[in-house]
Coordinates of all heavy atoms in Angstrom, one line a residue:
M591 N -128.1 155.1 -14.2 CA -126.8 154.7 -14.6 C -126.9 153.7 -15.8 O -127.8 152.8 -15.8 CB -126.2 154.0 -13.4 CG -124.7 154.1 -13.5 SD -123.8 153.5 -12.0 CE -124.8 154.2 -10.7
H592 N -126.1 153.9 -16.8 CA -126.2 153.0 -18.0 C -125.1 152.0 -18.0 O -125.3 150.9 -18.5 CB -126.1 153.9 -19.2 CG -126.1 153.1 -20.5 ND1 -127.2 152.4 -21.0 CD2 -125.1 152.9 -21.4 CE1 -126.9 151.8 -22.1 NE2 -125.6 152.1 -22.4
R593 N -123.9 152.3 -17.5 CA -122.8 151.3 -17.6 C -121.9 151.4 -16.4 O -121.6 152.5 -15.9 CB -121.9 151.8 -18.8 CG -120.8 150.9 -19.1 CD -120.1 151.5 -20.4 NE -119.0 150.6 -20.8 CZ -117.7 150.7 -20.3 NH1 -117.4 151.6 -19.4 NH2 -116.8 149.8 -20.7
I594 N -121.6 150.2 -15.9 CA -120.7 150.1 -14.7 C -119.5 149.3 -15.2 O -119.6 148.3 -15.8 CB -121.4 149.4 -13.5 CG1 -122.6 150.2 -13.1 CG2 -120.4 149.2 -12.4 CD1 -123.4 149.6 -12.0
W595 N -118.3 149.8 -14.8 CA -117.1 149.1 -15.2 C -116.2 148.8 -14.0 O -116.4 149.5 -12.9 CB -116.4 149.9 -16.3 CG -115.9 151.2 -15.8 CD1 -116.6 152.4 -15.9 CD2 -114.7 151.6 -15.2 NE1 -115.9 153.4 -15.4 CE2 -114.7 152.9 -15.0 CE3 -113.5 150.8 -14.9 CZ2 -113.6 153.6 -14.4 CZ3 -112.5 151.5 -14.3 CH2 -112.5 152.9 -14.1
S596 N -115.3 147.9 -14.1 CA -114.4 147.6 -13.1 C -113.1 147.0 -13.8 O -113.1 146.6 -14.9 CB -115.0 146.5 -12.2 OG -114.1 146.2 -11.1
W597 N -112.0 146.9 -13.0 CA -110.8 146.3 -13.5 C -110.2 145.4 -12.4 O -110.5 145.6 -11.2 CB -109.8 147.3 -14.1 CG -109.1 148.0 -13.0 CD1 -108.0 147.7 -12.4 CD2 -109.5 149.3 -12.4 NE1 -107.6 148.7 -11.5 CE2 -108.5 149.6 -11.5 CE3 -110.6 150.1 -12.6 CZ2 -108.6 150.8 -10.7 CZ3 -110.7 151.3 -11.9 CH2 -109.7 151.6 -11.0
C598 N -109.4 144.5 -12.7 CA -108.7 143.7 -11.8 C -107.3 143.3 -12.4 O -107.2 143.2 -13.6 CB -109.5 142.5 -11.3 SG -109.8 141.3 -12.6
V599 N -106.4 143.0 -11.5 CA -105.1 142.4 -11.9 C -105.4 141.1 -12.6 O -106.1 140.3 -12.1 CB -104.1 142.3 -10.7 CG1 -102.9 141.6 -11.1 CG2 -103.8 143.7 -10.2
T600 N -104.7 140.8 -13.7 CA -105.0 139.6 -14.5 C -104.7 138.3 -13.7 O -105.3 137.3 -13.9 CB -104.2 139.6 -15.8 OG1 -102.8 139.7 -15.5 CG2 -104.6 140.6 -16.7
E601 N -103.7 138.4 -12.7 CA -103.4 137.3 -11.9 C -104.4 137.0 -10.8 O -104.3 135.9 -10.2 CB -102.0 137.5 -11.3 CG -100.9 137.6 -12.4 CD -99.5 138.0 -11.8 OE1 -99.3 137.9 -10.6 OE2 -98.7 138.4 -12.6
N602 N -105.3 137.9 -10.6 CA -106.3 137.7 -9.5 C -107.5 136.9 -10.0 O -108.5 137.5 -10.3 CB -106.7 139.1 -8.9 CG -107.5 139.0 -7.7 OD1 -108.1 137.9 -7.4 ND2 -107.6 140.0 -6.9
V603 N -107.3 135.6 -10.0 CA -108.3 134.7 -10.6 C -109.7 134.8 -9.8 O -110.7 134.8 -10.4 CB -107.8 133.3 -10.6 CG1 -108.9 132.3 -11.1 CG2 -106.6 133.1 -11.4
A604 N -109.6 135.0 -8.5 CA -110.8 135.1 -7.7 C -111.6 136.4 -8.1 O -112.9 136.3 -8.3 CB -110.5 135.2 -6.2
S605 N -111.0 137.5 -8.4 CA -111.7 138.7 -8.8 C -112.3 138.5 -10.2 O -113.4 138.9 -10.4 CB -110.8 139.9 -8.8 OG -110.5 140.3 -7.5
V606 N -111.6 137.9 -11.1 CA -112.1 137.6 -12.4 C -113.4 136.7 -12.3 O -114.4 137.1 -12.9 CB -111.1 136.8 -13.3 CG1 -111.7 136.3 -14.6 CG2 -109.9 137.7 -13.6
K607 N -113.4 135.7 -11.5 CA -114.6 134.9 -11.3 C -115.8 135.7 -10.7 O -116.9 135.5 -11.2 CB -114.3 133.7 -10.4 CG -113.4 132.7 -11.0 CD -113.1 131.5 -10.1 CE -112.2 130.5 -10.7 NZ -112.0 129.3 -9.8
V608 N -115.5 136.6 -9.8 CA -116.6 137.4 -9.2 C -117.2 138.3 -10.3 O -118.4 138.4 -10.4 CB -116.1 138.2 -8.0 CG1 -117.1 139.3 -7.6 CG2 -115.8 137.3 -6.8
L609 N -116.4 139.0 -11.0 CA -116.9 139.9 -12.1 C -117.7 139.2 -13.1 O -118.7 139.6 -13.5 CB -115.7 140.6 -12.7 CG -114.9 141.6 -11.8 CD1 -113.7 142.1 -12.4 CD2 -115.8 142.7 -11.3
E610 N -117.2 138.0 -13.5 CA -118.0 137.2 -14.5 C -119.3 136.6 -13.9 O -120.3 136.6 -14.6 CB -117.1 136.1 -15.1 CG -116.0 136.7 -16.0 CD -115.0 135.7 -16.5 OE1 -115.1 134.5 -16.1 OE2 -114.2 136.1 -17.3
K611 N -119.2 136.2 -12.7 CA -120.4 135.7 -12.0 C -121.5 136.7 -11.9 O -122.7 136.3 -12.0 CB -120.0 135.2 -10.6 CG -121.2 134.5 -9.9 CD -120.7 133.9 -8.5 CE -121.9 133.2 -7.9 NZ -121.5 132.6 -6.6
I612 N -121.2 137.9 -11.7 CA -122.3 138.9 -11.6 C -122.7 139.5 -13.0 O -123.5 140.4 -13.1 CB -121.9 140.1 -10.7 CG1 -120.7 140.9 -11.2 CG2 -121.6 139.6 -9.3 CD1 -120.4 142.2 -10.5
G613 N -122.2 138.9 -14.0 CA -122.6 139.2 -15.4 C -121.8 140.2 -16.1 O -122.1 140.6 -17.3
M614 N -120.7 140.6 -15.6 CA -119.8 141.6 -16.3 C -119.1 140.8 -17.4 O -118.8 139.6 -17.3 CB -118.8 142.2 -15.4 CG -119.4 143.2 -14.4 SD -118.2 144.2 -13.6 CE -119.1 145.7 -13.3
R615 N -118.8 141.6 -18.5 CA -118.1 141.0 -19.7 C -116.8 141.6 -19.9 O -116.6 142.8 -19.7 CB -119.0 141.2 -20.9 CG -120.3 140.4 -20.8 CD -121.3 140.9 -21.8 NE -120.9 140.7 -23.2 CZ -121.7 140.9 -24.2 NH1 -122.9 141.5 -24.0 NH2 -121.2 140.7 -25.4
G616 N -115.8 140.8 -20.3 CA -114.5 141.3 -20.5 C -114.5 142.3 -21.7 O -115.1 142.0 -22.7
E617 N -113.8 143.4 -21.5 CA -113.8 144.4 -22.6 C -112.4 144.8 -23.0 O -112.2 145.4 -24.0 CB -114.5 145.7 -22.2 CG -116.0 145.6 -22.1 CD -116.7 146.9 -21.9 OE1 -116.0 147.9 -21.6 OE2 -117.9 147.0 -22.2
G618 N -111.4 144.4 -22.2 CA -110.0 144.7 -22.6 C -109.0 144.1 -21.7 O -109.3 143.7 -20.6
H619 N -107.8 144.2 -22.2 CA -106.6 143.7 -21.5 C -105.6 144.9 -21.5 O -105.1 145.3 -22.6 CB -106.0 142.5 -22.2 CG -104.8 141.9 -21.5 ND1 -104.5 140.6 -21.6 CD2 -103.9 142.5 -20.6 CE1 -103.4 140.4 -20.9 NE2 -103.0 141.5 -20.3
L620 N -105.4 145.5 -20.4 CA -104.5 146.7 -20.3 C -103.2 146.3 -19.8 O -103.0 145.8 -18.6 CB -105.2 147.7 -19.3 CG -106.6 148.1 -19.6 CD1 -107.2 148.9 -18.5 CD2 -106.7 148.8 -20.9
R621 N -102.2 146.4 -20.6 CA -100.8 145.9 -20.3 C -100.1 146.9 -19.4 O -100.1 148.1 -19.6 CB -100.0 145.7 -21.6 CG -100.7 144.7 -22.5 CD -100.0 144.4 -23.8 NE -99.2 145.6 -24.2 CZ -98.2 145.5 -25.0 NH1 -97.7 144.4 -25.4 NH2 -97.5 146.6 -25.4
E622 N -99.5 146.3 -18.4 CA -98.6 147.1 -17.4 C -99.3 148.4 -17.0 O -98.7 149.4 -17.0 CB -97.2 147.3 -18.0 CG -96.5 146.0 -18.2 CD -95.0 146.2 -18.6 OE1 -94.6 147.4 -18.7 OE2 -94.4 145.2 -18.8
K623 N -100.5 148.2 -16.5 CA -101.3 149.4 -16.2 C -101.1 149.9 -14.7 O -101.1 151.0 -14.4 CB -102.8 149.1 -16.3 CG -103.7 150.3 -16.0 CD -105.1 149.9 -15.8 CE -106.0 151.0 -15.3 NZ -105.7 151.4 -13.9
E624 N -100.8 148.9 -13.9 CA -100.8 149.2 -12.4 C -99.4 148.8 -11.8 O -99.0 147.7 -11.9 CB -101.9 148.4 -11.8 CG -102.2 148.9 -10.4 CD -103.6 148.3 -9.9 OE1 -104.3 147.6 -10.7 OE2 -103.9 148.6 -8.8
L625 N -98.8 149.8 -11.1 CA -97.6 149.6 -10.4 C -97.9 149.3 -8.9 O -98.4 150.1 -8.2 CB -96.7 150.8 -10.5 CG -95.3 150.8 -9.9 CD1 -94.5 149.7 -10.6 CD2 -94.6 152.1 -10.0
I626 N -97.5 148.1 -8.5 CA -97.7 147.7 -7.1 C -96.4 147.2 -6.6 O -95.8 146.2 -7.1 CB -98.8 146.5 -7.0 CG1 -100.1 147.0 -7.7 CG2 -99.0 146.1 -5.6 CD1 -101.1 145.9 -7.8
K627 N -95.9 147.8 -5.5 CA -94.7 147.5 -4.9 C -93.5 147.3 -5.8 O -92.8 146.3 -5.8 CB -94.9 146.2 -4.0 CG -95.9 146.5 -2.9 CD -96.0 145.2 -2.0 CE -97.0 145.5 -0.9 NZ -97.2 144.3 0.0
G628 N -93.4 148.2 -6.8 CA -92.3 148.1 -7.7 C -92.4 147.2 -8.9 O -91.5 147.1 -9.7
R629 N -93.6 146.6 -9.0 CA -93.8 145.7 -10.2 C -95.0 146.1 -11.0 O -96.0 146.4 -10.4 CB -94.0 144.2 -9.7 CG -94.2 143.2 -10.8 CD -94.4 141.8 -10.3 NE -94.9 141.0 -11.3 CZ -95.7 139.9 -11.2 NH1 -96.0 139.5 -10.0 NH2 -96.1 139.3 -12.2
W630 N -94.9 146.1 -12.3 CA -96.0 146.4 -13.2 C -96.9 145.2 -13.4 O -96.4 144.1 -13.6 CB -95.5 146.9 -14.5 CG -95.0 148.3 -14.4 CD1 -93.7 148.6 -14.3 CD2 -95.7 149.5 -14.3 NE1 -93.5 150.0 -14.2 CE2 -94.8 150.6 -14.2 CE3 -97.1 149.8 -14.3 CZ2 -95.2 151.9 -14.1 CZ3 -97.4 151.2 -14.2 CH2 -96.5 152.2 -14.1
Y631 N -98.2 145.4 -13.3 CA -99.2 144.4 -13.5 C -100.2 144.7 -14.6 O -100.5 145.9 -14.8 CB -100.0 144.1 -12.2 CG -99.3 143.5 -11.1 CD1 -98.6 144.3 -10.2 CD2 -99.3 142.1 -10.9 CE1 -97.8 143.7 -9.2 CE2 -98.6 141.5 -9.9 CZ -97.9 142.3 -9.0 OH -97.2 141.7 -8.0
D632 N -100.6 143.7 -15.4 CA -101.6 143.8 -16.4 C -103.0 143.8 -15.7 O -103.1 143.3 -14.6 CB -101.6 142.7 -17.4 CG -100.4 142.7 -18.3 OD1 -99.5 143.6 -18.2 OD2 -100.3 141.8 -19.2
N633 N -103.9 144.5 -16.3 CA -105.3 144.5 -15.8 C -106.3 144.0 -16.8 O -106.1 144.2 -18.0 CB -105.7 145.9 -15.4 CG -105.1 146.4 -14.1 OD1 -105.3 147.6 -13.8 ND2 -104.4 145.6 -13.4
F634 N -107.4 143.4 -16.4 CA -108.5 143.1 -17.2 C -109.6 144.2 -17.0 O -109.8 144.5 -15.8 CB -109.1 141.7 -16.9 CG -108.3 140.6 -17.4 CD1 -108.2 139.4 -16.7 CD2 -107.7 140.6 -18.7 CE1 -107.5 138.3 -17.1 CE2 -107.0 139.5 -19.1 CZ -106.9 138.4 -18.3
L635 N -110.2 144.6 -18.0 CA -111.3 145.6 -17.9 C -112.6 144.9 -18.1 O -112.8 144.1 -19.1 CB -111.1 146.7 -18.9 CG -112.2 147.8 -19.0 CD1 -112.3 148.5 -17.7 CD2 -111.9 148.7 -20.1
Y636 N -113.6 145.1 -17.2 CA -114.9 144.4 -17.3 C -116.0 145.5 -17.3 O -115.8 146.6 -16.6 CB -115.1 143.5 -16.2 CG -114.5 142.1 -16.4 CD1 -113.1 142.0 -16.0 CD2 -115.1 141.1 -16.9 CE1 -112.5 140.8 -16.2 CE2 -114.5 139.8 -17.1 CZ -113.2 139.7 -16.7 OH -112.6 138.5 -16.9
A637 N -117.2 145.2 -17.8 CA -118.3 146.2 -17.7 C -119.6 145.4 -17.9 O -119.6 144.3 -18.4 CB -118.2 147.3 -18.8
I638 N -120.7 146.1 -17.5 CA -122.0 145.6 -17.7 C -122.9 146.8 -18.0 O -122.7 147.9 -17.4 CB -122.5 144.8 -16.5 CG1 -123.8 144.0 -16.8 CG2 -122.7 145.6 -15.2 CD1 -124.2 143.0 -15.8
L639 N -123.9 146.6 -18.9 CA -124.8 147.6 -19.2 C -126.1 147.4 -18.5 O -126.4 146.3 -18.0 CB -125.1 147.6 -20.7 CG -123.8 147.8 -21.6 CD1 -124.2 147.7 -23.1 CD2 -123.1 149.1 -21.3
D640 N -126.9 148.5 -18.3 CA -128.1 148.4 -17.5 C -129.1 147.4 -18.0 O -129.6 146.6 -17.2 CB -128.8 149.8 -17.4 CG -129.2 150.4 -18.7 OD1 -128.8 149.9 -19.8 OD2 -129.9 151.4 -18.7
H641 N -129.3 147.3 -19.3 CA -130.2 146.3 -19.9 C -129.7 144.8 -19.7 O -130.5 143.9 -19.5 CB -130.6 146.6 -21.3 CG -129.4 146.5 -22.3 ND1 -129.0 145.3 -22.8 CD2 -128.6 147.5 -22.7 CE1 -127.9 145.6 -23.6 NE2 -127.7 146.9 -23.6
E642 N -128.4 144.7 -19.6 CA -127.8 143.3 -19.4 C -128.1 142.9 -17.9 O -128.4 141.8 -17.6 CB -126.3 143.3 -19.7 CG -126.0 143.5 -21.1 CD -124.5 143.7 -21.4 OE1 -123.8 144.1 -20.5 OE2 -124.1 143.5 -22.5
W643 N -127.9 143.9 -17.0 CA -128.2 143.7 -15.6 C -129.7 143.3 -15.3 O -130.0 142.4 -14.6 CB -127.8 144.9 -14.8 CG -128.0 144.7 -13.3 CD1 -129.0 145.2 -12.6 CD2 -127.2 144.0 -12.4 NE1 -128.9 144.8 -11.3 CE2 -127.8 144.1 -11.1 CE3 -126.0 143.3 -12.5 CZ2 -127.2 143.5 -10.0 CZ3 -125.5 142.7 -11.4 CH2 -126.1 142.8 -10.1
K644 N -130.5 144.1 -15.9 CA -132.0 143.9 -15.8 C -132.4 142.5 -16.3 O -133.4 141.9 -15.8 CB -132.8 145.0 -16.4 CG -132.6 146.3 -15.7 CD -133.3 147.4 -16.5 CE -133.0 148.7 -15.8 NZ -133.4 149.9 -16.6
A645 N -131.8 142.0 -17.3 CA -132.1 140.7 -18.0 C -131.7 139.5 -17.1 O -132.2 138.4 -17.3 CB -131.5 140.7 -19.4
K646 N -130.8 139.8 -16.2 CA -130.3 138.7 -15.4 C -131.4 138.1 -14.4 O -132.1 138.7 -13.8 CB -129.1 139.1 -14.5 CG -127.8 138.9 -15.3 CD -126.6 139.2 -14.4 CE -126.3 138.3 -13.3 NZ -125.8 137.1 -13.2

């Protein structure tokens, strides 16, 4: 595997902290990507490459 990615709702500060703690880097801000209970939420996109993971 070369690249692993994830996303989370921008308001979910705990998820942002976890993704950054494991070495993932922010790659994008997706506006109104996810509809949850009738409300649109923005998402942050994170990813890590295999050589970045191995260097940790």
Side-chain angles (χ1 to χ4, degrees):
M591 206 172 317
H592 177 66
R593 182 177 185 274
I594 298 175
W595 62 272
S596 183
W597 74 88
C598 65
V599 173
T600 56
E601 297 174 17
N602 190 339
V603 177
S605 289
V606 169
K607 286 181 181 180
V608 167
L609 294 172
E610 290 177 352
K611 183 176 182 178
I612 64 172
M614 289 190 148
R615 295 164 63 178
E617 291 193 339
H619 182 154
L620 309 172
R621 299 178 332 152
E622 295 186 3
K623 181 196 175 288
E624 195 166 357
L625 182 63
I626 303 172
K627 296 183 181 178
R629 179 177 167 211
W630 286 101
Y631 288 88
D632 290 3
N633 285 173
F634 285 142
L635 177 63
Y636 282 84
I638 191 166
L639 302 176
D640 59 350
H641 61 87
E642 294 170 338
W643 179 260
K644 290 173 187 173
K646 271 185 73 79

